[in-house]
């Protein structure tokens, strides 16, 4: 029996324990944004550290100012490419809790899916690569190339600790290709390889007015209400065609190629199906672009949260002392988050409302990426995906961001391979997050093939 056949045979016998592993990891509420969960975040790091070291990998648990990094490696294989698998063990907050059918940190398998926060983003997807390495090892096969794992604990809050680590230790992460599964397939039964991600620049903006909340009957009509001032600012961020209004915002945007537009048009994306899936009566966005273009290759601006004023039951008649918003810009390759930060600061500084002071807090950011779809790594990825999914992958870009990727590429000069096993309707960041159990298994299988395929690439 050749190596891959032996690995496949092992995979067929390991499904139950592979699912059990995922459940264990998902039970740990590793919410990186929540300081109260710091110990749980550390526990999730420890869990994956234990997994990798039990497999015999040389494994490190690296403390940082915030959440630990887990780094592991199989032995070097001279003359073969080195792979770095990147993933994250942190998850988004599970709120709103009352909208979950079963609790966010009590994984439940139903309708062929596993439901839990982190199921698809990213524990379930990251674990596929660990399971595939486990399968090679446990079936007695020698891995055909060196595989390193870098699993971080704050992707969902900007990857600052990893950025710091990279500055000093890029040599440790030296590799030829970075493999990431923290994204999606094109659709159910239509696997994909992603060759582009958007970047992001994330802020809070605050409007400060009177030194304390005021009675709106006594003072209404005499001062600017900060909540209204903030609303005006937010409204001014777009024009009626959906264009972002920061001066210079589009200057560096590379126009979409006609060939790319044609390929995406040929995907026959169904707008009305998407509207139905999202529960909206119409789609909207920047005029002149299709939905896929707007999601995958155009920059945008969104508001994620509004703070300020009375939020309790019933009415309370105040002019709030302040109001704030969480605002981000999705960026396309060639747009620089630091430049956009300057543009936003300037936009806010020039936005005058009498008696109101605006303040911008720069939270985090990272540039977008585009990958050469013709590289040998992409071709190896295509073959691996085809073997496991029985269908050749769609080439696509995606709108989400993995902010550290551009930094890792810059420091390692490696290629990137984005193999998403998730689905757009997996409810990532939302209630009832899920991952199709079948896609977990297929992801593991594709990953097992990937090591074989990548090892054929001549360095
Ligand atoms: N898994 C996502 C990124 C993603 C989602 C890529 C869908 C492609 C398709 C990742 O965990 C994520 O959510 N990233 C954040 C980054 C942000 C918090 C800086 C995002 O995109 O909002
Ligand atoms: Zn996420």
């Amino acid at each position: 029996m050749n190596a891959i056949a032996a690995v496949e045979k092992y995979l067929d016998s390991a499904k139950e324990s592979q699912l059990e592993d995922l459940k264990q990891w998902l039970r740990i509420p590793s919410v990186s944004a929540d300081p109260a969960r710091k110990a749980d975040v550390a526990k999730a790091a420890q869990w994956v550290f234990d997994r990798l070291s039990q497999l015999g990998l040389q494994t490190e648990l690296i403390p940082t100012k915030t959440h630990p990094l887990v780094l592991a490696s199989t032995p070097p294989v001279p003359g073969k490419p080195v792979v770095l698998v990147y993933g994250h063990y942190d998850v988004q907050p599970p709120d709103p809790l009352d909208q979950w059918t079963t609790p966010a940190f009590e994984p439940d398998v139903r309708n062929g899916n596993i439901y839990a926060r982190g199921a698809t983003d990213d524990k379930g997807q990251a674990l596929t690569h660990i399971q595939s390495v486990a399968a090679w090892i446990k079936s007695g096969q020698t891995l055909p190339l060196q595989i390193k794992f870098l699993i971080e604990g704050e992707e969902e809050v900007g990857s600052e600790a990893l950025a710091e680590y990279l500055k000093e230790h890029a040599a440790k992460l030296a590799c030829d290709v970075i493999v990431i599964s923290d994204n999606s397939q094109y659709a159910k039964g239509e696997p994909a390889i992603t060759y582009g991600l958007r970047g992001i620049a994330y802020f809070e903006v605050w409007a400060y007015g009177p030194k304390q909340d005021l009675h709106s009957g006594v003072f209404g009509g005499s001062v600017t209400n900060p909540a209204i001032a903030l609303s005006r600012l937010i409204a001014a961020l777009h024009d009626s065609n959906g264009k972002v209004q920061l001066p210079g915002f589009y200057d560096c945007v590379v126009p979409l190629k006609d060939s790319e537009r044609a390929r995406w048009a040929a995907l026959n994306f169904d707008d009305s199906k998407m509207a139905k899936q999202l529960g909206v009566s119409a789609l909207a966005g920047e005029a002149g672009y299709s939905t896929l273009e707007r999601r995958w290759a155009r920059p945008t601006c969104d508001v994620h949260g509004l703070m300020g004023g009375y939020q309790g039951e019933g009415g309370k008649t105040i002019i709030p002392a302040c109001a704030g918003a969480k605002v981000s810009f999705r960026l396309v390759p060639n747009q620089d988050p630091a430049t956009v930060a300057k543009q936003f600061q300037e936009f806010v500084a020039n936005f005058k409302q009498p008696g109101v002071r605006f303040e911008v807090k720069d939270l985090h950011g990272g540039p977008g990426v585009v990958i050469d779809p013709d590289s040998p790594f992409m071709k190896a990825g295509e073959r691996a995906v085809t073997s496991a999914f029985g269908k050749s992958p769609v080439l696509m870009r995606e709108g989400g961001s993995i902010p550290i990727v551009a930094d890792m590429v810059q420091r390692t000069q490696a290629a990137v391979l984005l193999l998403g096993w998730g689905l757009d309707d997996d409810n990532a960041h939302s209630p009832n997050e899920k991952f199709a159990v079948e896609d977990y298994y297929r992801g593991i299988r594709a990953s097992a093939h990937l090591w074989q395929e990548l090892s054929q690439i001549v360095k």
Side-chain angles (χ1 to χ4, degrees), residues 24-25 27-51 59-71 88-91 105 123 151-154:
Q24 269 185 23
W25 207 13
R27 283 191 195 105
I28 308 171
S30 45
V31 181
S32 51
D34 183 355
R37 291 293 193 195
K38 196 164 167 55
D40 290 308
V41 179
K43 232 169 112 182
Q46 184 69 46
W47 187 91
V48 68
F49 170 88
D50 289 345
R51 278 280 117 178
T59 309
E60 284 177 81
L61 187 64
I62 302 162
T64 71
K65 268 191 231 146
T66 42
H67 303 304
L69 299 167
V70 178
L71 195 57
H88 63 96
Y89 64 80
D90 66 319
V91 300
F105 297 108
K123 286 171 177 166
I151 316 290
E152 70 149 315
E154 50 185 51

Side-chain angles (χ1 to χ4, degrees), residues 23 46 138 148 220 344 416:
K23 285 186 190 166
Q46 184 69 46
K138 290 186 177 168
K148 300 178 180 178
F344 185 50
V416 178

Side-chain angles (χ1 to χ4, degrees), residues 88 92 121-122 155-158 182-184 197 200 202 330 364 398-403 429:
H88 63 96
Q92 287 269 325
D121 182 8
D122 176 42
E155 190 275 344
E156 300 290 6
V157 291
D182 188 20
N183 50 300
S184 295
L197 293 174
I200 190 166
Y202 201 124
R330 290 284 163 178
H364 53 75
E398 284 186 271
S401 310
I402 309 176
H429 297 202

